[in-house]
Structures are given as C-alpha cells and as structure tokens.
Amino acid sequence: MEPSDVLTQLTQRQRKLAGATLPNDNMRDRGERSASEPDIEDEAEGLIGGSDSEDRRHRVRPGIRGELGNVLLLLFLYVLQGIPLGLAGSIPLILQSKSVSYKDQAFFSLVFWPFSLKLLWAPLVDALYFSRFGRRKSWLVPTQYLLGLFMLYLSVTVNSLLQSEGGPNVVILTAVFFMLAFLAATQDIAVDGWALTMLSRENVGYASTCNSVGQTAGYFLGNVLFLALESADFCNKYLRIEPKDTGIVTLSDFLFFWGVVFLVSTTLVAIFKRENEHGKGKRRVQEETQGVMETYRLLLSIIKMPTVFTFCILLLTAKMGFSAADAVTGLKLVEAGVPKEQLALLAVPMVPLQILLPVVISKYTAGPRPLDIFYKAFPFRLLIGLEYALLVWWTSSVKQEGGFPVYYYAVVLLSYAVHQVALYSMYVACMAFHAKVSDPLIGGTYMTLLNTVTNLGGNWPSTVALWMVDPLTSKECQGAVGQSCGSPEEAGLCVKEGGVCVTTLDGYYVESVVCVVIGLAWWIWLGKKMRQLQEQSPAAWKCRIN
C-alpha cells in the first residue's frame, strides 16, 4: 500500500520517496543512490584537482543560469525514466480489476526487481563505451530508443495481452515490462554518471534535485495521471459534460504517445547534445575508470567484510514483517471494490508530507546513532500493518451503491499518512547510516551496494507475500454437493454444478498476522544486533584494498 515504493527502491539515491499510487510497497523501493553520493564524488573531484590552485583562483563560477539548459535536460531525462516505472506500477491494479490470481501478481512483481539488481551490470555501463560518441551517450541513446520501441510494441499488443480468452497473459506482460524496467535502470546508471560531468562542480548538487523531482513527476504521469484519465468513472464525473463508456485515454494511446516522445527526444539528444563539451567556468572532470573485473572484485571485497556482511543480512530480512501490508493491501482494496483511480489520487495530498518528512526526520538521524530511529519506528510500522488488515476487513461493510462515503477515504488517507511517518523514519535513518559508514575512498560503489541490498530486502518479501496469498486462502463450494474450490479447475466444476465458491479464510489476514509475528521476532533479536553495529569503530567499515 505504499505508493512510492518503486521509487524508494527505485530511487533511494536521494532522501526522497516519490508520491505515487497507494497500493504497492514493492513499487516503491524502485535504483538507488544516496543524497550524499554527489558530495562524496565532489570531494573526490576536489582532491583530484587540488594541485590546480592557480586554475581554481581564475575559474569563473558559472552559476545556475549558465547551465540552465543542462539542468533542464537532466530533469527531462529523469522524467522519461519515471514514465515506464509508473506504467509498470499501474498494471497490478488493472490486473486486479480483471480478477487474476495472487500468484500471477507475485510473478508480475518481478518487474520491479531490476532497480534492486542494477549493481550487477552497472560496472559494464561504466567501463564499456565508444569514446567518440560519449561515455554516457553510448548507453543512453540505444537504451532510450529501445524503451520507445518497446512502448510502441506494447501500444499495439497490450489490449490483446490484457483481454485474451483465458484471462490476461501475465507471462508476456511480465517479460515486456521487466525489459522496460531493466532498460530504465540502465538509463538511470548512464544519466547518474552523465550528471556528474554535465554540470560544473559548483552546480553538481542540482543533479540529485533533478533526479528527485524528475523521476517523481514521471512516475506520477505514468501512474496517477494515467489511471485517472483511463478511468471512465473519473472522466465522466470530473472532466466531461456528456458521459462515455471509456476514459479520455487508453493504455494503448498512452504507450504510443510516450513511445514517440522517447524516439524523438533521443534523436534530438543524440544529434545536438555533445557529451564532452567544456565551456567557460567548467573543467574536464576525471571520472573513475576502474575496469569491469576490478569493480566486481571491489564489490566482493566489501561484502566479505564482517560488519558489512552482517549488515547486509539484516537489511535483507528487516522488511519481512511489512510484506503483507505493503504488497497486498492495495490489491485487496481494489478487490473489495475501491476504484483504483481513487486509490491513486489519494497519493496526491501526501506529496507535501513526503517532502517535509525527510527534512524533519533527518534532524534526529544526523547524530552518531541514526539506527536508533529505525529501531524505534519498527514496531509502529508493524502495528500499522495490522491496522491495514482491519481496514480491508472494514471496507466491504461500508460500501454503498454509489461507491464509498467520504469518511472512508478520510480513514484510508489518515492510515496512509501515519504509515508514511513510520516508513520515512526507517528509510531516512537507514540512508543516514549508509552515508555514515560508507568508505569515501571508493566513491559511490560502497553506498550503491548498501542501497541495492536495502531495495532487494524489500522486493523479495513482497513477491513471496503475493505468492502465498492463494495457498493460504480457504474456500468451500456452496450449492453443489461433493464439489470443492481448492484449485481453479475444481472451482470451475463447482460453478458448473450450480454452486458458488465462498472464501472461508482469506490468506491475506493469515499473512498479516504471521508477518507481524515474524517482524516482532526480528525486532526483539536482530533489531538489537543492528543497533549494536553503530558501536563498531570506523575502521571496521573501511575497505582494505591491495
């Protein structure tokens, strides 16, 4: 039920979580780099150029106006990056309205994994390129062309994939959207690297702002705005005088439009934007050029460190207790009849809260023990998971003929707001600790590793939680003697014999209780271990490189 989770996983490179659709947490913990990474790389840049004191004295500070074009280009590239992510985040809601199984939802959730695994191929993007064309453009241009072509392909085929005879073709949908997410993650690696050389050292801090604002805006366009404009009910109620059976846009139209935008804009960037230009007030930036194998060896050496290995295990298991609430709640609300576009729009009033929360919480995580905040917020987030289960149970009893009353949406909004406070408290605390222990000697590799493990620790429990809903659900056939509903085939026979399958125990409620028990056990035994890591000396976190 966390709208921006594709983005937190996706974009934990800043202290931000994008506001997106209410439902999936795994949609949020969507490529990560911490806010401190540009600072680390800036510091390294300063050291590289440290002997160039005379050049520094005479260098003209360009100011943001002199680089406004570059800032706008970065912002636009990050907006493009958010579009396929937002679309991928909207598909589970569309699938749920077509009554697919939760195993199918679990399978589709693999789409959100590439941003949690991009560290596996990031060294290739950094090391392999055509120097004449440009180090970052060598990957950016073909990646964005492929994104545009995949969107055009989807615009023609998506209706048949969603409306095939046996139900939505989840396997093909997952494969195509997985490729979109993979390409978006690759584009993210290239744009992150280009941002550090496209802007002067004085303005490189704007790169993280462009990332935060751009990716959030793109996700909003591809998710919240699309779901609203695609909904016939929403358009008839708020945007039309004469009602129609369809929304203003269809998924095919939306995909076609953005596919064309990707192709046209990429062509313009390829032709008119030179990567290696060094104007007034700018100097050639020396980038890290470690070989591919050296980078992988470095990652392995970091993971082998006892403190890092322990911390990674804790990060991979910390979110098990939240998986049912984060991954399943939104889908259960849609199943109960809550319009998916209304859930998406509930994220809009959360945007100011999501902007302010990291600022407020960072004041308490700036000290030597940031994980204390993580530990304190943990049980509150577990309790909110139980409250979500109660909310789903309550939903069916307040449904009316015309939909749901205003007070119901007010309760949902309040529940979501409280959840965001707990989530951001843990998120900001974790990012602050990453920045505190990461060894600046090796640039952003250390930080990216920890952020990647953090995101993976949110993705795998969400996939498992979705997968287990159906096996934990009990149904019986009423109205047909001797029939059962243990499988789709048996359910079909039940209906054929004039019966109906009735749920006697919803696996979501079982999961909610089990997850809270697992979470409490983790908090009691492993949570203290995580806090103790703060007592390790700085030397325990430093990478020993030969």
Side-chain angles (χ1 to χ4, degrees):
M1 189 161 164
E2 290 176 50
S4 355
D5 226 31
V6 177
L7 288 184
T8 355
Q9 292 181 5
L10 273 191
T11 35
Q12 276 175 220
R13 67 179 70 100
Q14 295 78 262
R15 287 186 180 174
K16 63 107 185 164
L17 269 132
T21 74
L22 191 61
N24 266 340
D25 183 60
N26 63 348
M27 289 179 203
R28 175 205 227 115
D29 276 352
R30 289 112 236 180
E32 291 73 21
R33 183 190 300 243
S34 105
S36 66
E37 279 188 60
D39 297 332
I40 292 171
E41 290 167 8
D42 274 358
E43 185 177 346
E45 254 184 64
L47 292 173
I48 291 170
S51 61
D52 212 1
S53 57
E54 186 174 346
D55 285 348
R56 287 203 313 275
R57 279 198 303 270
H58 295 292
R59 192 183 304 137
V60 179
R61 295 177 68 88
I64 187 60
R65 289 187 180 180
E67 295 190 283
L68 188 58
N70 288 338
V71 170
L72 292 176
L73 175 59
L74 282 176
L75 183 64
F76 178 70
L77 292 175
Y78 282 122
V79 168
L80 290 183
Q81 185 186 122
I83 297 294
L85 301 177
L87 283 169
S90 68
I91 296 299
L93 303 181
I94 296 175
L95 292 176
Q96 194 66 14
S97 65
K98 297 180 180 298
S99 302
V100 302
S101 70
Y102 281 92
K103 284 190 176 180
D104 286 336
Q105 291 282 14
F107 189 73
F108 188 83
S109 71
L110 296 175
V111 164
F112 306 114
W113 283 53
F115 268 89
S116 298
L117 300 173
K118 66 177 184 174
L119 188 63
L120 297 178
W121 67 92
L124 298 174
V125 178
D126 275 333
L128 305 177
Y129 55 92
F130 298 102
S131 55
R132 240 178 227 191
F133 189 56
R135 181 175 186 175
R136 307 303 175 183
K137 284 174 64 178
S138 295
W139 288 90
L140 177 75
V141 171
T143 296
Q144 291 198 167
Y145 271 134
L146 286 174
L147 278 165
L149 292 174
F150 266 101
M151 285 187 172
L152 292 180
Y153 164 76
L154 265 177
S155 71
V156 177
T157 60
V158 71
N159 287 335
S160 61
L161 293 175
L162 287 171
Q163 299 169 6
S164 56
E165 286 185 9
N169 193 330
V170 177
V171 174
I172 301 299
L173 281 170
T174 302
V176 176
F177 275 95
F178 183 92
M179 183 55 66
L180 283 177
F182 173 80
L183 291 170
T186 306
Q187 188 252 30
D188 181 54
I189 298 167
V191 176
D192 284 347
W194 197 2
L196 297 175
T197 56
M198 186 185 296
L199 301 179
S200 64
R201 182 167 180 253
E202 289 79 5
N203 292 324
V204 75
Y206 286 101
S208 62
T209 303
C210 291
N211 179 288
S212 176
V213 175
Q215 201 174 64
T216 301
Y219 195 87
F220 181 89
L221 291 173
N223 194 298
V224 179
L225 184 64
F226 163 69
L227 287 173
L229 297 180
E230 187 260 352
S231 167
D233 291 339
F234 179 86
C235 293
N236 292 336
K237 187 174 181 180
Y238 299 106
L239 303 177
R240 284 183 178 141
I241 298 175
E242 296 183 7
K244 294 184 180 179
D245 295 332
T246 60
I248 292 176
V249 300
T250 64
L251 182 55
S252 294
D253 295 336
F254 199 82
L255 284 164
F256 181 81
F257 172 78
W258 284 106
V260 172
V261 170
F262 265 90
L263 295 179
V264 173
S265 61
T266 304
T267 302
L268 294 175
V269 170
I271 296 174
F272 296 108
K273 179 61 180 176
R274 293 181 57 195
E275 182 173 338
N276 301 313
E277 53 188 9
H278 303 280
K280 187 177 181 181
K282 298 177 74 173
R283 59 183 173 80
R284 186 175 297 276
V285 177
Q286 292 178 269
E287 294 190 76
E288 232 177 278
T289 55
Q290 284 183 321
V292 176
M293 295 310 298
E294 286 79 8
T295 303
Y296 285 121
R297 289 193 194 100
L298 176 60
L299 290 172
L300 186 60
S301 68
I302 296 172
I303 295 172
K304 284 182 177 179
M305 295 163 58
T307 49
V308 175
F309 183 79
T310 301
F311 188 48
C312 287
I313 295 297
L314 294 173
L315 290 175
L316 286 172
T317 56
K319 294 182 181 178
M320 291 189 296
F322 316 129
S323 56
D326 293 344
V328 187
T329 301
L331 300 178
K332 278 293 176 183
L333 291 177
V334 172
E335 184 182 314
V338 181
K340 58 184 181 297
E341 66 276 6
Q342 294 292 347
L343 284 180
L345 289 171
L346 285 178
V348 176
M350 288 293 100
V351 172
L353 181 67
Q354 291 170 337
I355 293 172
L356 291 174
L357 275 175
V359 177
V360 175
I361 296 168
S362 62
K363 295 179 181 178
Y364 300 95
T365 59
R369 300 181 62 85
L371 292 181
D372 287 353
I373 300 297
F374 182 98
Y375 183 80
K376 291 175 182 177
F378 197 98
F380 289 100
R381 189 170 171 188
L382 288 175
L383 291 176
I384 293 168
L386 287 179
E387 191 272 335
Y388 274 3
L390 290 173
L391 179 65
V392 172
W393 174 80
W394 180 58
T395 298
S396 59
S397 64
V398 296
K399 187 177 181 181
Q400 301 171 352
E401 272 191 36
F404 291 86
V406 175
Y407 68 83
Y408 171 78
Y409 289 112
V411 172
V412 174
L413 188 63
L414 179 62
S415 301
Y416 179 45
V418 174
H419 177 263
Q420 291 294 287
V421 174
L423 183 148
Y424 271 87
S425 296
M426 294 177 62
Y427 168 69
V428 174
C430 206
M431 292 302 102
F433 187 70
H434 291 180
K436 179 176 178 288
V437 301
S438 294
D439 190 345
L441 180 64
I442 54 177
T445 305
Y446 204 131
M447 179 79 79
T448 305
L449 171 65
L450 295 180
N451 288 338
T452 299
V453 173
T454 301
N455 288 345
L456 189 58
N459 277 338
W460 78 261
S462 295
T463 298
V464 172
L466 288 166
W467 188 271
M468 292 301 296
V469 172
D470 286 337
L472 292 173
T473 298
S474 298
K475 294 182 178 181
E476 65 179 25
C477 181
Q478 294 182 356
V481 180
Q483 299 298 327
S484 63
C485 299
S487 68
E489 293 77 15
E490 291 174 341
L493 286 174
C494 172
V495 174
K496 191 175 181 180
E497 294 293 327
V500 60
C501 286
V502 177
T503 300
T504 55
L505 180 63
D506 195 324
Y508 167 68
Y509 300 117
V510 178
E511 275 194 0
S512 296
V513 174
V514 171
C515 284
V516 169
V517 172
I518 293 173
L520 283 174
W522 189 97
W523 182 65
I524 292 170
W525 285 290
L526 297 182
K528 293 179 180 178
K529 180 67 176 176
M530 180 174 273
R531 292 181 74 185
Q532 290 170 2
L533 288 175
Q534 299 174 117
E535 299 168 7
Q536 295 286 336
S537 67
W541 299 94
K542 292 202 177 293
C543 186
R544 291 161 180 79
I545 307 171
N546 292 328

